[in-house]
Amino acid sequence: MWLGVFGQLTPSIRNVSLRLGVFGGTFDPPHRGHLAVARAARRSLTLDRVVLMVANDPWKKSPGRAITPAPDRLAMVQALVHGEDGLEASDAEIRRGGASYTVVTLRELAAANAGAELFLIIGRDLVDDFSSWYESVEIGRLATIVVVDRPGYVTDPQRDWKMLIVDPIDVSSTELRDAVRTGRDVSTNVPSAVCDVIRARGLYEAVPTP
Ligand code: ATP
């Protein structure tokens, strides 16, 4: 029985060879680009699970714009991964509260899954700024960093990182928020289950106040 990456397992069977992908983000909203990355990472890196980790407070982004409440973003990510083999949404950073630091999340995952090998999946747009992440060197010790190509970004990953090539999907959450707000159709890039959550909760209808 799978208990989730933060579940309790009997010590004798604890995750000796578990390969766990961690794909963090604001997911405001999640889109087909995110799904393609998670699926490709799981397949190419032969991961047992890929956890889509919903940031509580994405401290790099939140000073610049209003972020949709975390429970709404979590509901959208749950809809995104529903029925997807090996993909799961996690609310661990939301439960922890405050600013979401990847290093803390990785430490918690390592502690809850002794013996597991961790892979941190990031888009290529984040490579330039990675060294400014909180305890970035420690992040590299806790997990293998896997960079996923993203249209429009060219910075090469560091030498000990992996590069994962996926079929590029040129979409961002920013353009989707604008599209919903101005009444344009987003169904090409947002799965219908996520669109249902957006509609039911009335998300992105107005310009949020920071
Ligand atoms: P925003 O436009 O609001 O800044 P975003 O589309 O970049 O958001 P995030 O939730 O910030 O989405 O992204 C989470 C992770 O997914 C990050 O590692 C990001 O680099 C990666 N990512 C997002 N969109 C794509 C894409 N189209 N292709 C590859 N990686 C992506």
Side-chain angles (χ1 to χ4, degrees):
M1 179 178 58
W2 175 254
L3 296 173
V5 288
F6 287 95
Q8 299 288 311
L9 291 178
T10 329
S12 59
I13 55 162
R14 284 181 86 182
N15 306 317
V16 175
S17 58
L18 184 74
R19 291 167 66 82
L20 196 57
V22 183
F23 185 37
T26 310
F27 302 114
D28 191 12
H31 49 65
R32 287 197 198 280
H34 295 130
L35 190 56
V37 166
R39 283 175 177 160
R42 176 157 189 259
R43 195 179 50 244
S44 304
L45 302 165
T46 57
L47 303 177
D48 296 291
R49 315 278 302 175
V50 174
V51 180
L52 283 81
M53 185 64 65
V54 181
N56 181 61
D57 171 11
W59 57 283
K60 290 248 166 212
K61 292 187 180 187
S62 50
R65 70 170 182 88
I67 306 290
T68 300
D72 291 329
R73 291 182 287 109
L74 177 66
M76 290 188 282
V77 175
Q78 285 168 335
L80 183 82
V81 300
H82 184 74
E84 289 282 335
D85 237 19
L87 306 190
E88 73 177 45
S90 175
D91 65 353
E93 292 186 349
I94 299 171
R95 281 187 282 108
R96 198 164 70 228
S100 300
Y101 296 116
T102 301
V103 70
V104 179
T105 304
L106 292 174
R107 275 196 196 112
E108 287 184 359
L109 280 166
N113 300 276
E117 193 173 351
L118 303 181
F119 296 81
L120 178 69
I121 302 151
I122 62 171
R124 201 166 188 168
D125 53 303
L126 302 182
V127 171
D128 267 336
D129 190 45
F130 183 81
S131 59
S132 76
W133 287 25
Y134 183 61
E135 291 194 35
S136 64
V137 175
E138 181 64 9
I139 291 174
R141 286 197 196 103
L142 289 162
T144 300
I145 298 172
V146 180
V147 176
V148 182
D149 217 355
R150 186 170 183 182
Y153 296 90
V154 294
T155 305
D156 284 330
Q158 295 178 20
R159 257 207 319 272
D160 52 342
W161 296 3
K162 285 185 190 296
M163 185 81 207
L164 179 67
I165 305 299
V166 296
D167 283 343
I169 300 189
D170 194 3
V171 61
S172 73
S173 298
T174 301
E175 69 193 60
L176 293 169
R177 289 192 297 278
D178 288 345
V180 175
R181 196 150 41 235
T182 52
R184 281 173 286 145
D185 176 36
V186 294
S187 59
T188 311
N189 283 315
V190 182
S192 60
V194 178
C195 287
D196 290 346
V197 176
I198 291 174
R199 257 191 309 274
R201 297 184 178 220
L203 303 178
Y204 311 118
E205 285 173 357
V207 179
T209 40

